Amino acid sequence: MNPRTFRARIRQSLADETLQNALDGNAQRRAVGRLQAFSSLPDHPERRRRAHAVKADVIAHLDEYLSRFITQVTRNGFRVHRAADAKEAIHIFLEIAREHDARLVAKSKSMVSEEINFNHALEQAGIQVVETDLGEYIVQVRGERPSHIITPAVHLTRAQVGQLFHEKLGTPFTEDIPEMVAIARRVLRQVFLSADIGVSGVNFGVVETGTLCLVTNEGNGRIVTSLPPVHVALMGIERLVPSLDDLALFLSLLPRSATGQKLSVYTSLIHSPKRFDDADGPQERHLILVDNGRLAMRNSPLAEALACIRCGACLNACPVFREIGGHAYIGRDGSIAPYPGPIGAVVSPALLGCENYGQLAQASSLCGACREACPVDINLPDLLLRVRAGKVSENPEDHNHAEGIGIPALLSLGLKGFRLVAYSSLLFSIAQRLGGLLSHLYSPHKKYMRIPAWSGWGYSKDFPRLEISPFRTRWGKIKQEVNHRDQTTRLPEKPMETGSLPGPNLAARFTDELAAIGVNIYQLPEKEVKARLARLFQERGIERVAVDDIGEKYVTGIQSVRVPDPTIWAGVTGALMGIAESGSLVLVGGEARPLTASLLPDLHIAILRESDLVATLAEALARPEIRSASAAAIITGPSRTGDIEMTLSIGVHGPKEIHVFLIEDPR
Ligand code: SF4
């Protein structure tokens, strides 16, 4: 195949009306959601700079951080494996699978697994692997690749998904999204319960504590890492942050950029396999650290792209991605690139070969919207230019020439001519004035020029008439006007949202945030908790509940169990902390603390005291209980998804309802 195929695929996408509507809806909502989410974080420009600096430091000292991380994770009880490439990663996994005689694998979303063609390799080896993220599950059943990093099934309508479920799962055709979500919940619950191995990706690996951090909204990430007897995590070696404090910084940026949330519904912090006295969790945890070209990329002109936290914001911001979608990003061999969009056009050639995927960098207008959206301030336009120039490796012999990545010879010649003129300020000024003069003579009364149809201009955009006066002169005037306007209309600075708030304010903030994410709140004195809880059980017809040691103290009149039981409809647990800035509950596992009690039932009731509230995520992560537990979960609202037509649906895999009993401090 050749670049013409790439163009043909782009034309095909542009002509697909359903795809166009789906892409417009997704990009618009994501962009608005992102802006709204960042409005609650006034210091985000500073956070973005810090995040960039932290990642730059990690990339510059990757070997050192990696070695410290491996030492710490091993000390925590993980079995750590290093894979130089995709083949080795698959081989390691198959060895683990053989050891456990595994036949069924429940998998949560992982971009590394897409990169190494994990599912295909497992199927070849006779192991069934089931994607458990709703969007990933849909594209897997369709036999497709995801078309977006965050919303894999963004290219499909509800009718297409309804038809798919009808044909492949034998359910009656429906266009009702909550019904489709309920079907997926039923089917996938069986997979979770019978899987031999749970496979997950890793969003961040924390060097100082050896923590694996995963963020998901549906709850599948929490289930695959806690229910099957063996957990295997696949992680790109660059996904490191030095400390839990840095993790708090990145968690303030990732969900806001990805889905417009202050925090994802589930932030899992995993430290070790199940300990002797833990109530639940897998007996064995493995970590496969995948290089697959990352170490080489670290020493290349594209190293900055290793700072990517896979939020997908650059895809939503990119005017080209918004028109063509992820499936149009194909290599010369016709294969769909695992990473699409602006970041994909850098990472896919860097990791998987410039010869095949170098052409993806042509799918950019270089407008800079991707860089503006990026929460870690990656200079994507600059990196795209480097890919276009074939600079994907430090070795000059490896650099492809422009012709090699699909630039026509005539264009290449024109660019060389432009380079010659642009290098001399005198020549440039003369050429600019001459061009402006000619275009004014050609189109004296119009703002836009008439251009022949074969040039491509005029199809969706006009070609502006060239200016006679130099850009600098015009820019100077515009800047003066803007400065003047800014001085006269400067808005007062917004107060910082985060930081320590006094006790009662903390509770007010916490309850406001809980209400905003659809959680039911009961703020009451301790002596009333048992009676109110009993009333709730009666109202809902609950006769049996899963509990932890705290929940057990308050449950009266009905049966309570401490072992994971998927048939139980409600769970009552304590919470170590509540985070006021996001309305999150922090739960830690341990003796008499089954984390599954807050995950498997349809309804979760959490009990905590006002004195257990903290203002920020950073304060919560600094608590020693977080580091010492084998696993912890930060829960921010009920399980949710927007994977079908971006329509919010509640209760995909985790609880559909959360009730918080907040015990008042004695006044
Ligand atoms: S490059 Fe930036 S915006 Fe794009 S996915 Fe990565 S972190 Fe997000």
Side-chain angles (χ1 to χ4, degrees), residues 24-41 44 252-263 313 316 322 373 640 646:
D24 285 349
N26 173 64
Q28 199 51 32
R29 280 193 221 179
R30 290 282 186 224
V32 171
R34 188 174 63 82
L35 290 176
Q36 278 172 353
F38 273 109
S39 68
S40 67
L41 199 65
H44 65 88
S252 73
L253 298 170
L254 174 62
R256 281 180 166 89
S257 303
T259 49
Q261 293 163 276
K262 288 181 180 168
L263 267 186
N316 301 330
R322 289 166 74 146
R640 61 187 253 175
M646 291 286 296

PDB file of all heavy atoms in Angstrom, residues 24-41 44 252-263 313 316 322 373 640 646:
ATOM      1  N   ASP A  24     -18.253  14.835  15.618  1.00  0.00           N
ATOM      2  CA  ASP A  24     -18.602  16.210  16.031  1.00  0.00           C
ATOM      3  C   ASP A  24     -19.110  16.217  17.464  1.00  0.00           C
ATOM      4  O   ASP A  24     -18.686  17.022  18.288  1.00  0.00           O
ATOM      5  CB  ASP A  24     -19.689  16.787  15.110  1.00  0.00           C
ATOM      6  CG  ASP A  24     -19.114  17.166  13.752  1.00  0.00           C
ATOM      7  OD1 ASP A  24     -17.879  17.179  13.625  1.00  0.00           O
ATOM      8  OD2 ASP A  24     -19.904  17.426  12.821  1.00  0.00           O
ATOM      9  N   GLY A  25     -20.048  15.295  17.738  1.00  0.00           N
ATOM     10  CA  GLY A  25     -20.649  15.240  19.082  1.00  0.00           C
ATOM     11  C   GLY A  25     -19.597  14.976  20.137  1.00  0.00           C
ATOM     12  O   GLY A  25     -19.542  15.641  21.168  1.00  0.00           O
ATOM     13  N   ASN A  26     -18.721  14.013  19.877  1.00  0.00           N
ATOM     14  CA  ASN A  26     -17.690  13.647  20.847  1.00  0.00           C
ATOM     15  C   ASN A  26     -16.756  14.819  21.119  1.00  0.00           C
ATOM     16  O   ASN A  26     -16.543  15.211  22.265  1.00  0.00           O
ATOM     17  CB  ASN A  26     -16.883  12.455  20.324  1.00  0.00           C
ATOM     18  CG  ASN A  26     -15.691  12.152  21.210  1.00  0.00           C
ATOM     19  OD1 ASN A  26     -15.852  11.795  22.353  1.00  0.00           O
ATOM     20  ND2 ASN A  26     -14.499  12.327  20.676  1.00  0.00           N
ATOM     21  N   ALA A  27     -16.223  15.396  20.034  1.00  0.00           N
ATOM     22  CA  ALA A  27     -15.210  16.439  20.198  1.00  0.00           C
ATOM     23  C   ALA A  27     -15.793  17.642  20.935  1.00  0.00           C
ATOM     24  O   ALA A  27     -15.172  18.193  21.847  1.00  0.00           O
ATOM     25  CB  ALA A  27     -14.685  16.847  18.830  1.00  0.00           C
ATOM     26  N   GLN A  28     -17.014  18.012  20.551  1.00  0.00           N
ATOM     27  CA  GLN A  28     -17.630  19.186  21.150  1.00  0.00           C
ATOM     28  C   GLN A  28     -17.824  18.988  22.653  1.00  0.00           C
ATOM     29  O   GLN A  28     -17.428  19.817  23.460  1.00  0.00           O
ATOM     30  CB  GLN A  28     -18.974  19.448  20.443  1.00  0.00           C
ATOM     31  CG  GLN A  28     -19.515  20.848  20.634  1.00  0.00           C
ATOM     32  CD  GLN A  28     -18.472  21.920  20.316  1.00  0.00           C
ATOM     33  OE1 GLN A  28     -17.608  21.738  19.454  1.00  0.00           O
ATOM     34  NE2 GLN A  28     -18.524  23.014  21.049  1.00  0.00           N
ATOM     35  N   ARG A  29     -18.427  17.845  23.017  1.00  0.00           N
ATOM     36  CA  ARG A  29     -18.705  17.612  24.437  1.00  0.00           C
ATOM     37  C   ARG A  29     -17.423  17.481  25.243  1.00  0.00           C
ATOM     38  O   ARG A  29     -17.325  17.979  26.356  1.00  0.00           O
ATOM     39  CB  ARG A  29     -19.532  16.348  24.605  1.00  0.00           C
ATOM     40  CG  ARG A  29     -20.983  16.622  24.308  1.00  0.00           C
ATOM     41  CD  ARG A  29     -21.821  15.486  24.776  1.00  0.00           C
ATOM     42  NE  ARG A  29     -22.834  15.215  23.779  1.00  0.00           N
ATOM     43  CZ  ARG A  29     -23.718  14.263  23.889  1.00  0.00           C
ATOM     44  NH1 ARG A  29     -23.708  13.486  24.912  1.00  0.00           N
ATOM     45  NH2 ARG A  29     -24.620  14.079  22.958  1.00  0.00           N
ATOM     46  N   ARG A  30     -16.460  16.774  24.679  1.00  0.00           N
ATOM     47  CA  ARG A  30     -15.207  16.603  25.414  1.00  0.00           C
ATOM     48  C   ARG A  30     -14.504  17.945  25.611  1.00  0.00           C
ATOM     49  O   ARG A  30     -13.966  18.225  26.677  1.00  0.00           O
ATOM     50  CB  ARG A  30     -14.261  15.670  24.658  1.00  0.00           C
ATOM     51  CG  ARG A  30     -14.704  14.241  24.638  1.00  0.00           C
ATOM     52  CD  ARG A  30     -14.410  13.567  25.960  1.00  0.00           C
ATOM     53  NE  ARG A  30     -14.705  12.153  25.907  1.00  0.00           N
ATOM     54  CZ  ARG A  30     -15.336  11.481  26.856  1.00  0.00           C
ATOM     55  NH1 ARG A  30     -15.764  12.091  27.925  1.00  0.00           N
ATOM     56  NH2 ARG A  30     -15.548  10.196  26.755  1.00  0.00           N
ATOM     57  N   ALA A  31     -14.520  18.773  24.559  1.00  0.00           N
ATOM     58  CA  ALA A  31     -13.819  20.062  24.656  1.00  0.00           C
ATOM     59  C   ALA A  31     -14.494  20.947  25.703  1.00  0.00           C
ATOM     60  O   ALA A  31     -13.820  21.538  26.558  1.00  0.00           O
ATOM     61  CB  ALA A  31     -13.809  20.744  23.292  1.00  0.00           C
ATOM     62  N   VAL A  32     -15.835  20.994  25.679  1.00  0.00           N
ATOM     63  CA  VAL A  32     -16.557  21.824  26.656  1.00  0.00           C
ATOM     64  C   VAL A  32     -16.329  21.264  28.062  1.00  0.00           C
ATOM     65  O   VAL A  32     -16.043  22.007  29.009  1.00  0.00           O
ATOM     66  CB  VAL A  32     -18.070  21.866  26.304  1.00  0.00           C
ATOM     67  CG1 VAL A  32     -18.869  22.526  27.411  1.00  0.00           C
ATOM     68  CG2 VAL A  32     -18.281  22.593  24.980  1.00  0.00           C
ATOM     69  N   GLY A  33     -16.429  19.936  28.200  1.00  0.00           N
ATOM     70  CA  GLY A  33     -16.240  19.291  29.500  1.00  0.00           C
ATOM     71  C   GLY A  33     -14.863  19.597  30.074  1.00  0.00           C
ATOM     72  O   GLY A  33     -14.718  19.874  31.258  1.00  0.00           O
ATOM     73  N   ARG A  34     -13.860  19.565  29.214  1.00  0.00           N
ATOM     74  CA  ARG A  34     -12.491  19.815  29.657  1.00  0.00           C
ATOM     75  C   ARG A  34     -12.351  21.246  30.179  1.00  0.00           C
ATOM     76  O   ARG A  34     -11.794  21.486  31.248  1.00  0.00           O
ATOM     77  CB  ARG A  34     -11.518  19.569  28.494  1.00  0.00           C
ATOM     78  CG  ARG A  34     -10.062  19.608  28.869  1.00  0.00           C
ATOM     79  CD  ARG A  34      -9.194  19.217  27.694  1.00  0.00           C
ATOM     80  NE  ARG A  34      -9.312  20.139  26.584  1.00  0.00           N
ATOM     81  CZ  ARG A  34      -8.661  21.294  26.475  1.00  0.00           C
ATOM     82  NH1 ARG A  34      -7.834  21.666  27.429  1.00  0.00           N
ATOM     83  NH2 ARG A  34      -8.842  22.068  25.441  1.00  0.00           N
ATOM     84  N   LEU A  35     -12.896  22.188  29.421  1.00  0.00           N
ATOM     85  CA  LEU A  35     -12.778  23.589  29.835  1.00  0.00           C
ATOM     86  C   LEU A  35     -13.502  23.825  31.155  1.00  0.00           C
ATOM     87  O   LEU A  35     -12.999  24.510  32.042  1.00  0.00           O
ATOM     88  CB  LEU A  35     -13.344  24.508  28.747  1.00  0.00           C
ATOM     89  CG  LEU A  35     -12.492  24.576  27.477  1.00  0.00           C
ATOM     90  CD1 LEU A  35     -13.166  25.429  26.416  1.00  0.00           C
ATOM     91  CD2 LEU A  35     -11.096  25.136  27.793  1.00  0.00           C
ATOM     92  N   GLN A  36     -14.696  23.220  31.293  1.00  0.00           N
ATOM     93  CA  GLN A  36     -15.445  23.402  32.550  1.00  0.00           C
ATOM     94  C   GLN A  36     -14.671  22.795  33.713  1.00  0.00           C
ATOM     95  O   GLN A  36     -14.582  23.384  34.782  1.00  0.00           O
ATOM     96  CB  GLN A  36     -16.806  22.722  32.443  1.00  0.00           C
ATOM     97  CG  GLN A  36     -17.822  23.608  31.728  1.00  0.00           C
ATOM     98  CD  GLN A  36     -19.125  22.875  31.440  1.00  0.00           C
ATOM     99  OE1 GLN A  36     -19.235  21.682  31.663  1.00  0.00           O
ATOM    100  NE2 GLN A  36     -20.097  23.608  30.927  1.00  0.00           N
ATOM    101  N   ALA A  37     -14.111  21.610  33.484  1.00  0.00           N
ATOM    102  CA  ALA A  37     -13.383  20.938  34.573  1.00  0.00           C
ATOM    103  C   ALA A  37     -12.168  21.762  35.003  1.00  0.00           C
ATOM    104  O   ALA A  37     -11.869  21.874  36.188  1.00  0.00           O
ATOM    105  CB  ALA A  37     -12.954  19.550  34.137  1.00  0.00           C
ATOM    106  N   PHE A  38     -11.490  22.365  34.055  1.00  0.00           N
ATOM    107  CA  PHE A  38     -10.298  23.146  34.414  1.00  0.00           C
ATOM    108  C   PHE A  38     -10.653  24.478  35.071  1.00  0.00           C
ATOM    109  O   PHE A  38      -9.819  25.071  35.742  1.00  0.00           O
ATOM    110  CB  PHE A  38      -9.399  23.359  33.197  1.00  0.00           C
ATOM    111  CG  PHE A  38      -8.437  22.218  33.002  1.00  0.00           C
ATOM    112  CD1 PHE A  38      -8.590  21.326  31.961  1.00  0.00           C
ATOM    113  CD2 PHE A  38      -7.395  22.025  33.889  1.00  0.00           C
ATOM    114  CE1 PHE A  38      -7.727  20.252  31.796  1.00  0.00           C
ATOM    115  CE2 PHE A  38      -6.515  20.956  33.744  1.00  0.00           C
ATOM    116  CZ  PHE A  38      -6.682  20.065  32.698  1.00  0.00           C
ATOM    117  N   SER A  39     -11.913  24.918  34.885  1.00  0.00           N
ATOM    118  CA  SER A  39     -12.283  26.182  35.526  1.00  0.00           C
ATOM    119  C   SER A  39     -12.285  26.019  37.052  1.00  0.00           C
ATOM    120  O   SER A  39     -12.225  26.991  37.790  1.00  0.00           O
ATOM    121  CB  SER A  39     -13.636  26.679  35.011  1.00  0.00           C
ATOM    122  OG  SER A  39     -14.624  25.801  35.463  1.00  0.00           O
ATOM    123  N   SER A  40     -12.389  24.770  37.551  1.00  0.00           N
ATOM    124  CA  SER A  40     -12.339  24.578  39.002  1.00  0.00           C
ATOM    125  C   SER A  40     -10.897  24.403  39.493  1.00  0.00           C
ATOM    126  O   SER A  40     -10.668  24.048  40.638  1.00  0.00           O
ATOM    127  CB  SER A  40     -13.172  23.350  39.391  1.00  0.00           C
ATOM    128  OG  SER A  40     -12.564  22.178  38.882  1.00  0.00           O
ATOM    129  N   LEU A  41      -9.937  24.627  38.620  1.00  0.00           N
ATOM    130  CA  LEU A  41      -8.531  24.472  38.996  1.00  0.00           C
ATOM    131  C   LEU A  41      -7.771  25.695  38.482  1.00  0.00           C
ATOM    132  O   LEU A  41      -7.057  25.632  37.474  1.00  0.00           O
ATOM    133  CB  LEU A  41      -7.995  23.192  38.332  1.00  0.00           C
ATOM    134  CG  LEU A  41      -6.730  22.560  38.877  1.00  0.00           C
ATOM    135  CD1 LEU A  41      -6.958  22.047  40.292  1.00  0.00           C
ATOM    136  CD2 LEU A  41      -6.303  21.401  37.987  1.00  0.00           C
ATOM    137  N   HIS A  44      -4.170  25.833  37.052  1.00  0.00           N
ATOM    138  CA  HIS A  44      -3.784  24.757  36.131  1.00  0.00           C
ATOM    139  C   HIS A  44      -2.614  25.102  35.213  1.00  0.00           C
ATOM    140  O   HIS A  44      -1.835  24.207  34.866  1.00  0.00           O
ATOM    141  CB  HIS A  44      -4.992  24.224  35.346  1.00  0.00           C
ATOM    142  CG  HIS A  44      -5.623  25.185  34.409  1.00  0.00           C
ATOM    143  ND1 HIS A  44      -5.203  25.335  33.123  1.00  0.00           N
ATOM    144  CD2 HIS A  44      -6.648  26.027  34.580  1.00  0.00           C
ATOM    145  CE1 HIS A  44      -5.943  26.248  32.542  1.00  0.00           C
ATOM    146  NE2 HIS A  44      -6.822  26.679  33.394  1.00  0.00           N
ATOM    147  N   SER A 252      -4.759  15.398  39.090  1.00  0.00           N
ATOM    148  CA  SER A 252      -5.577  16.614  38.962  1.00  0.00           C
ATOM    149  C   SER A 252      -5.703  17.015  37.492  1.00  0.00           C
ATOM    150  O   SER A 252      -6.583  17.787  37.129  1.00  0.00           O
ATOM    151  CB  SER A 252      -4.984  17.767  39.788  1.00  0.00           C
ATOM    152  OG  SER A 252      -3.802  18.268  39.169  1.00  0.00           O
ATOM    153  N   LEU A 253      -4.836  16.483  36.635  1.00  0.00           N
ATOM    154  CA  LEU A 253      -4.836  16.867  35.219  1.00  0.00           C
ATOM    155  C   LEU A 253      -5.465  15.807  34.307  1.00  0.00           C
ATOM    156  O   LEU A 253      -6.191  16.141  33.368  1.00  0.00           O
ATOM    157  CB  LEU A 253      -3.391  17.120  34.758  1.00  0.00           C
ATOM    158  CG  LEU A 253      -2.656  18.264  35.467  1.00  0.00           C
ATOM    159  CD1 LEU A 253      -1.175  18.244  35.104  1.00  0.00           C
ATOM    160  CD2 LEU A 253      -3.258  19.613  35.101  1.00  0.00           C
ATOM    161  N   LEU A 254      -5.172  14.539  34.591  1.00  0.00           N
ATOM    162  CA  LEU A 254      -5.608  13.480  33.662  1.00  0.00           C
ATOM    163  C   LEU A 254      -7.130  13.386  33.499  1.00  0.00           C
ATOM    164  O   LEU A 254      -7.630  13.506  32.375  1.00  0.00           O
ATOM    165  CB  LEU A 254      -5.005  12.129  34.096  1.00  0.00           C
ATOM    166  CG  LEU A 254      -5.485  10.903  33.321  1.00  0.00           C
ATOM    167  CD1 LEU A 254      -5.121  10.974  31.847  1.00  0.00           C
ATOM    168  CD2 LEU A 254      -4.910   9.616  33.908  1.00  0.00           C
ATOM    169  N   PRO A 255      -7.909  13.200  34.578  1.00  0.00           N
ATOM    170  CA  PRO A 255      -9.357  13.055  34.360  1.00  0.00           C
ATOM    171  C   PRO A 255      -9.999  14.318  33.790  1.00  0.00           C
ATOM    172  O   PRO A 255     -10.910  14.237  32.976  1.00  0.00           O
ATOM    173  CB  PRO A 255      -9.901  12.764  35.758  1.00  0.00           C
ATOM    174  CG  PRO A 255      -8.729  12.406  36.591  1.00  0.00           C
ATOM    175  CD  PRO A 255      -7.552  13.088  35.989  1.00  0.00           C
ATOM    176  N   ARG A 256      -9.514  15.470  34.213  1.00  0.00           N
ATOM    177  CA  ARG A 256     -10.066  16.716  33.670  1.00  0.00           C
ATOM    178  C   ARG A 256      -9.844  16.777  32.160  1.00  0.00           C
ATOM    179  O   ARG A 256     -10.720  17.188  31.404  1.00  0.00           O
ATOM    180  CB  ARG A 256      -9.404  17.932  34.336  1.00  0.00           C
ATOM    181  CG  ARG A 256      -9.953  18.240  35.713  1.00  0.00           C
ATOM    182  CD  ARG A 256      -9.262  19.462  36.316  1.00  0.00           C
ATOM    183  NE  ARG A 256      -9.976  19.967  37.473  1.00  0.00           N
ATOM    184  CZ  ARG A 256      -9.778  19.564  38.727  1.00  0.00           C
ATOM    185  NH1 ARG A 256      -8.887  18.624  38.980  1.00  0.00           N
ATOM    186  NH2 ARG A 256     -10.475  20.091  39.718  1.00  0.00           N
ATOM    187  N   SER A 257      -8.668  16.380  31.713  1.00  0.00           N
ATOM    188  CA  SER A 257      -8.357  16.442  30.281  1.00  0.00           C
ATOM    189  C   SER A 257      -9.068  15.340  29.501  1.00  0.00           C
ATOM    190  O   SER A 257      -9.449  15.531  28.353  1.00  0.00           O
ATOM    191  CB  SER A 257      -6.851  16.270  30.060  1.00  0.00           C
ATOM    192  OG  SER A 257      -6.142  17.232  30.775  1.00  0.00           O
ATOM    193  N   ALA A 258      -9.223  14.189  30.134  1.00  0.00           N
ATOM    194  CA  ALA A 258      -9.770  13.033  29.407  1.00  0.00           C
ATOM    195  C   ALA A 258     -11.283  13.074  29.329  1.00  0.00           C
ATOM    196  O   ALA A 258     -11.864  12.931  28.255  1.00  0.00           O
ATOM    197  CB  ALA A 258      -9.307  11.749  30.084  1.00  0.00           C
ATOM    198  N   THR A 259     -11.936  13.241  30.482  1.00  0.00           N
ATOM    199  CA  THR A 259     -13.389  13.110  30.508  1.00  0.00           C
ATOM    200  C   THR A 259     -14.090  14.289  31.184  1.00  0.00           C
ATOM    201  O   THR A 259     -15.296  14.238  31.412  1.00  0.00           O
ATOM    202  CB  THR A 259     -13.779  11.812  31.264  1.00  0.00           C
ATOM    203  OG1 THR A 259     -13.048  11.788  32.497  1.00  0.00           O
ATOM    204  CG2 THR A 259     -13.455  10.574  30.456  1.00  0.00           C
ATOM    205  N   GLY A 260     -13.337  15.321  31.516  1.00  0.00           N
ATOM    206  CA  GLY A 260     -13.938  16.508  32.136  1.00  0.00           C
ATOM    207  C   GLY A 260     -14.382  16.260  33.572  1.00  0.00           C
ATOM    208  O   GLY A 260     -15.286  16.932  34.061  1.00  0.00           O
ATOM    209  N   GLN A 261     -13.748  15.314  34.265  1.00  0.00           N
ATOM    210  CA  GLN A 261     -14.109  15.050  35.669  1.00  0.00           C
ATOM    211  C   GLN A 261     -12.983  15.534  36.578  1.00  0.00           C
ATOM    212  O   GLN A 261     -11.819  15.525  36.180  1.00  0.00           O
ATOM    213  CB  GLN A 261     -14.278  13.540  35.894  1.00  0.00           C
ATOM    214  CG  GLN A 261     -15.454  12.934  35.175  1.00  0.00           C
ATOM    215  CD  GLN A 261     -15.303  11.425  35.117  1.00  0.00           C
ATOM    216  OE1 GLN A 261     -14.629  10.899  34.240  1.00  0.00           O
ATOM    217  NE2 GLN A 261     -15.922  10.713  36.041  1.00  0.00           N
ATOM    218  N   LYS A 262     -13.360  15.897  37.827  1.00  0.00           N
ATOM    219  CA  LYS A 262     -12.311  16.292  38.770  1.00  0.00           C
ATOM    220  C   LYS A 262     -11.457  15.084  39.120  1.00  0.00           C
ATOM    221  O   LYS A 262     -10.249  15.186  39.256  1.00  0.00           O
ATOM    222  CB  LYS A 262     -12.947  16.870  40.031  1.00  0.00           C
ATOM    223  CG  LYS A 262     -13.539  18.239  39.784  1.00  0.00           C
ATOM    224  CD  LYS A 262     -14.143  18.824  41.020  1.00  0.00           C
ATOM    225  CE  LYS A 262     -14.704  20.194  40.667  1.00  0.00           C
ATOM    226  NZ  LYS A 262     -15.551  20.719  41.711  1.00  0.00           N
ATOM    227  N   LEU A 263     -12.101  13.955  39.304  1.00  0.00           N
ATOM    228  CA  LEU A 263     -11.384  12.673  39.468  1.00  0.00           C
ATOM    229  C   LEU A 263     -12.213  11.617  38.758  1.00  0.00           C
ATOM    230  O   LEU A 263     -13.446  11.714  38.738  1.00  0.00           O
ATOM    231  CB  LEU A 263     -11.270  12.298  40.952  1.00  0.00           C
ATOM    232  CG  LEU A 263     -10.036  12.712  41.730  1.00  0.00           C
ATOM    233  CD1 LEU A 263     -10.082  12.103  43.132  1.00  0.00           C
ATOM    234  CD2 LEU A 263      -8.738  12.305  41.055  1.00  0.00           C
ATOM    235  N   ALA A 313      -6.861  14.347  25.004  1.00  0.00           N
ATOM    236  CA  ALA A 313      -7.325  15.731  24.762  1.00  0.00           C
ATOM    237  C   ALA A 313      -6.844  16.261  23.418  1.00  0.00           C
ATOM    238  O   ALA A 313      -7.549  17.016  22.749  1.00  0.00           O
ATOM    239  CB  ALA A 313      -6.854  16.646  25.891  1.00  0.00           C
ATOM    240  N   ASN A 316      -9.213  15.211  20.669  1.00  0.00           N
ATOM    241  CA  ASN A 316     -10.471  15.967  20.638  1.00  0.00           C
ATOM    242  C   ASN A 316     -10.265  17.376  20.120  1.00  0.00           C
ATOM    243  O   ASN A 316     -11.171  17.976  19.544  1.00  0.00           O
ATOM    244  CB  ASN A 316     -11.088  16.023  22.038  1.00  0.00           C
ATOM    245  CG  ASN A 316     -11.358  14.634  22.588  1.00  0.00           C
ATOM    246  OD1 ASN A 316     -11.626  13.708  21.829  1.00  0.00           O
ATOM    247  ND2 ASN A 316     -11.267  14.485  23.891  1.00  0.00           N
ATOM    248  N   ARG A 322     -10.878  15.422  14.268  1.00  0.00           N
ATOM    249  CA  ARG A 322     -12.321  15.657  14.399  1.00  0.00           C
ATOM    250  C   ARG A 322     -13.061  15.388  13.100  1.00  0.00           C
ATOM    251  O   ARG A 322     -14.269  15.195  13.090  1.00  0.00           O
ATOM    252  CB  ARG A 322     -12.578  17.088  14.873  1.00  0.00           C
ATOM    253  CG  ARG A 322     -12.187  17.289  16.312  1.00  0.00           C
ATOM    254  CD  ARG A 322     -12.103  18.732  16.705  1.00  0.00           C
ATOM    255  NE  ARG A 322     -13.400  19.349  16.844  1.00  0.00           N
ATOM    256  CZ  ARG A 322     -13.680  20.291  17.740  1.00  0.00           C
ATOM    257  NH1 ARG A 322     -12.747  20.689  18.573  1.00  0.00           N
ATOM    258  NH2 ARG A 322     -14.860  20.822  17.789  1.00  0.00           N
ATOM    259  N   ALA A 373      -4.134  22.000  24.207  1.00  0.00           N
ATOM    260  CA  ALA A 373      -4.983  21.110  25.011  1.00  0.00           C
ATOM    261  C   ALA A 373      -4.169  20.188  25.908  1.00  0.00           C
ATOM    262  O   ALA A 373      -4.687  19.664  26.893  1.00  0.00           O
ATOM    263  CB  ALA A 373      -5.840  20.261  24.084  1.00  0.00           C
ATOM    264  N   ARG A 640     -19.878   4.635  36.023  1.00  0.00           N
ATOM    265  CA  ARG A 640     -20.518   5.299  34.878  1.00  0.00           C
ATOM    266  C   ARG A 640     -19.759   5.067  33.582  1.00  0.00           C
ATOM    267  O   ARG A 640     -18.595   4.686  33.590  1.00  0.00           O
ATOM    268  CB  ARG A 640     -20.638   6.792  35.136  1.00  0.00           C
ATOM    269  CG  ARG A 640     -19.296   7.477  35.333  1.00  0.00           C
ATOM    270  CD  ARG A 640     -19.477   8.898  35.746  1.00  0.00           C
ATOM    271  NE  ARG A 640     -19.148   9.798  34.655  1.00  0.00           N
ATOM    272  CZ  ARG A 640     -19.304  11.110  34.685  1.00  0.00           C
ATOM    273  NH1 ARG A 640     -19.806  11.692  35.733  1.00  0.00           N
ATOM    274  NH2 ARG A 640     -18.973  11.862  33.677  1.00  0.00           N
ATOM    275  N   MET A 646     -21.698   8.923  23.667  1.00  0.00           N
ATOM    276  CA  MET A 646     -21.367   9.899  24.705  1.00  0.00           C
ATOM    277  C   MET A 646     -22.522  10.140  25.681  1.00  0.00           C
ATOM    278  O   MET A 646     -22.603  11.181  26.326  1.00  0.00           O
ATOM    279  CB  MET A 646     -21.011  11.245  24.054  1.00  0.00           C
ATOM    280  CG  MET A 646     -19.719  11.248  23.297  1.00  0.00           C
ATOM    281  SD  MET A 646     -18.328  11.259  24.402  1.00  0.00           S
ATOM    282  CE  MET A 646     -18.540  12.828  25.197  1.00  0.00           C
TER     283      MET A 646
END
